[in-house]
Amino acid sequence: QVNDTMGHDMGDVVLRTVAERMRKTVRNTDNIMRLGGDEFAIILEDCSKASACIVAEKISHAIAEPIVSGDKTVTLHTSIGIVLAQHPSDTVD
């Protein structure tokens, strides 16, 4: 929607800003990936359910801060899903 209403330059600013905010929220050992469009995935190794919820809350608050570029301002909201996996696991399932 940002690209359609504010242009691709602003869309690029939004994506870079969101990625940087997420990077500042997680540990250096965690992995952040852009899946496409406005979807990201973050892998938090050795992380409890409680810690994952805290990180998700921090990310949500960080992304909700307005993004300003020139005379344009964007305020975003997030939808975050959490999946926990047993470690170590012998199979993908």
Side-chain angles (χ1 to χ4, degrees):
Q1 291 177 352
V2 173
N3 285 343
D4 293 340
T5 60
M6 298 182 168
H8 290 274
D9 288 342
M10 186 61 178
D12 290 345
V13 168
V14 168
L15 285 173
R16 283 192 303 272
T17 302
V18 166
E20 181 63 18
R21 289 178 183 179
M22 286 191 295
R23 188 191 65 77
K24 289 180 178 179
T25 305
V26 299
R27 302 168 294 189
N28 290 336
T29 57
D30 298 327
N31 293 292
I32 302 172
M33 287 114 344
R34 180 175 174 218
L35 301 177
D38 61 354
E39 296 179 353
F40 291 83
I42 301 174
I43 298 176
L44 307 172
E45 290 192 47
D46 298 320
C47 186
S48 69
K49 179 179 178 180
S51 294
C53 290
I54 291 169
V55 170
E57 186 76 20
K58 287 180 181 181
I59 289 170
S60 182
H61 286 299
I63 291 174
E65 291 293 320
I67 298 170
V68 180
S69 180
D71 63 344
K72 298 176 182 175
T73 302
V74 175
T75 303
L76 305 173
H77 302 280
T78 60
S79 172
I80 298 175
I82 298 173
V83 175
L84 299 175
Q86 298 289 24
H87 182 70
S89 178
D90 294 331
T91 67
V92 175
D93 293 335

